Amino acid sequence: MTTISQPLEEKKQKVGIRVSRNLYPYIATKPIHETQKVKGTDDSGVTIEIELYINFELKQLLLSCGDGIEVLYP
């Protein structure tokens, strides 16, 4: 069983992520989070949004994608 940390006194936040065209097929079949929704697409990639607690595990996952993603917000 995987343990996920939930920051104390934190609220869930919406996180906007820009995913490159090359990486998106993987992210589409292996979502970052169950709340993942496509917000838009263009020639350079796909914008998705997730809503969750921002924690260490999320940061590690995003960093592991290298330059294939860009965090847009919060």
Side-chain angles (χ1 to χ4, degrees), residues 1-65:
M1 181 164 115
T2 303
T3 303
I4 304 296
S5 63
Q6 178 179 336
L8 299 174
E9 305 296 321
E10 292 284 328
K11 294 184 179 182
K12 288 184 179 181
Q13 296 185 49
K14 290 183 179 181
V15 179
I17 302 169
R18 182 93 177 133
V19 183
S20 71
R21 285 272 177 203
N22 293 338
L23 183 59
Y24 183 71
Y26 178 76
I27 298 296
T29 59
K30 304 269 193 257
I32 293 172
H33 191 261
E34 62 192 29
T35 61
Q36 181 172 308
K37 296 178 186 168
V38 173
K39 299 307 260 183
T41 62
D42 62 27
D43 292 338
S44 63
V46 179
T47 301
I48 61 171
E49 183 177 82
I50 55 177
E51 186 172 359
L52 71 172
Y53 297 101
I54 297 176
N55 59 22
F56 178 78
E57 291 85 2
L58 174 64
K59 292 174 187 176
Q60 288 297 107
L61 176 62
L62 296 176
L63 287 170
S64 74
C65 295

